[in-house]
Amino acid sequence: MKYSKQLSAGANNTVIALSDTEAAKLFVGDTRSDIGSEAEKMKFANSINGLVVTFIRLDYNEVLEAEMLVMERIYPIDYRAYEIEKRELWYSVFVDELFELHTSGFIHRDIKRPSGLEGMSFDNILLTSNGLKLIDVGISALKTQVGTTLFDKYLEIEQKEILLFKDFFLNR
């Protein structure tokens, strides 16, 4: 379904603009656990650093009949317009902040889009005027919820994806 002020659409959700400063991920249908779980993971990551898009509130839109996860609105910038030295700096800060999240027990799990799905490989990482930001923490995991064994497996995969992102971000 196409929504007014739609910013993006994923496999299961749509993001719309609410204002100049807020966007909302819409949850339509049976989302009893998804929206609360995603909100909790966003809040956890936000308490560590500013890498993950900022959670604002949960809400309900009567007109759209949709639950909404309201977050800061991001205005992506095309990184290809910037010299490699600047991109290297952004990448370095990104890796440091991601490492801080990992150390704190948060793993994104969707750095690189699986092949076979529409969209760009790394479209959950956006360059903003404040540096790189991670969006869409829907399948992210907290170590306290999944345990050490599973978390470490997710971390191993994510570390490989980070290196792939480095090549993508610095060499395009």
Side-chain angles (χ1 to χ4, degrees):
M1 172 180 227
K2 188 101 168 146
Y3 292 91
S4 176
K5 298 187 179 184
Q6 182 172 320
L7 297 172
S8 67
N12 302 316
N13 303 99
T14 299
V15 176
I16 63 169
L18 295 179
S19 70
D20 288 344
T21 59
E22 293 183 345
K25 185 173 188 176
L26 303 179
F27 289 76
V28 181
D30 185 6
T31 58
R32 289 174 287 194
S33 63
D34 299 341
I35 192 169
S37 174
E38 189 161 348
E40 287 307 310
K41 292 182 273 190
M42 282 178 86
K43 287 191 274 188
F44 179 86
N46 292 164
S47 74
I48 306 302
N49 61 37
L51 184 58
V52 170
V53 63
T54 304
F55 171 83
I56 297 174
R57 68 183 177 280
L58 293 177
D59 210 337
Y60 186 79
N61 186 303
E62 297 286 343
V63 174
L64 299 176
E65 297 181 356
E67 296 174 32
M68 300 188 311
L69 188 154
V70 181
M71 63 196 121
E72 74 176 298
R73 184 170 178 185
I74 291 181
Y75 292 88
I77 300 169
D78 188 347
Y79 64 89
R80 294 173 296 180
Y82 293 91
E83 53 278 341
I84 192 76
E85 294 83 6
K86 194 153 188 133
R87 287 191 259 161
E88 286 172 339
L89 178 61
W90 285 324
Y91 178 78
S92 176
V93 171
F94 170 77
V95 169
D96 288 349
E97 290 182 335
L98 193 57
F99 177 76
E100 187 177 19
L101 289 173
H102 291 162
T103 302
S104 299
F106 174 93
I107 192 100
H108 187 270
R109 293 194 60 221
D110 203 10
I111 297 288
K112 183 177 186 305
R113 179 179 297 283
S115 59
L117 291 182
E118 288 184 33
M120 293 182 55
S121 296
F122 298 99
D123 61 3
N124 284 332
I125 307 170
L126 300 177
L127 177 61
T128 73
S129 59
N130 295 320
L132 292 167
K133 283 276 201 178
L134 274 176
I135 62 168
D136 196 0
V137 298
I139 67 165
S140 63
L142 300 178
K143 191 173 190 175
T144 56
Q145 294 175 335
V146 300
T148 302
T149 303
L150 204 47
F151 187 85
D152 288 347
K153 182 63 181 166
Y154 294 153
L155 181 59
E156 181 184 320
I157 293 166
E158 189 151 293
Q159 288 170 332
K160 291 175 186 172
E161 291 178 348
I162 293 165
L163 293 176
L164 293 173
F165 173 68
K166 179 181 183 180
D167 183 57
F168 175 88
F169 187 66
L170 299 180
N171 297 315
R172 282 188 56 149

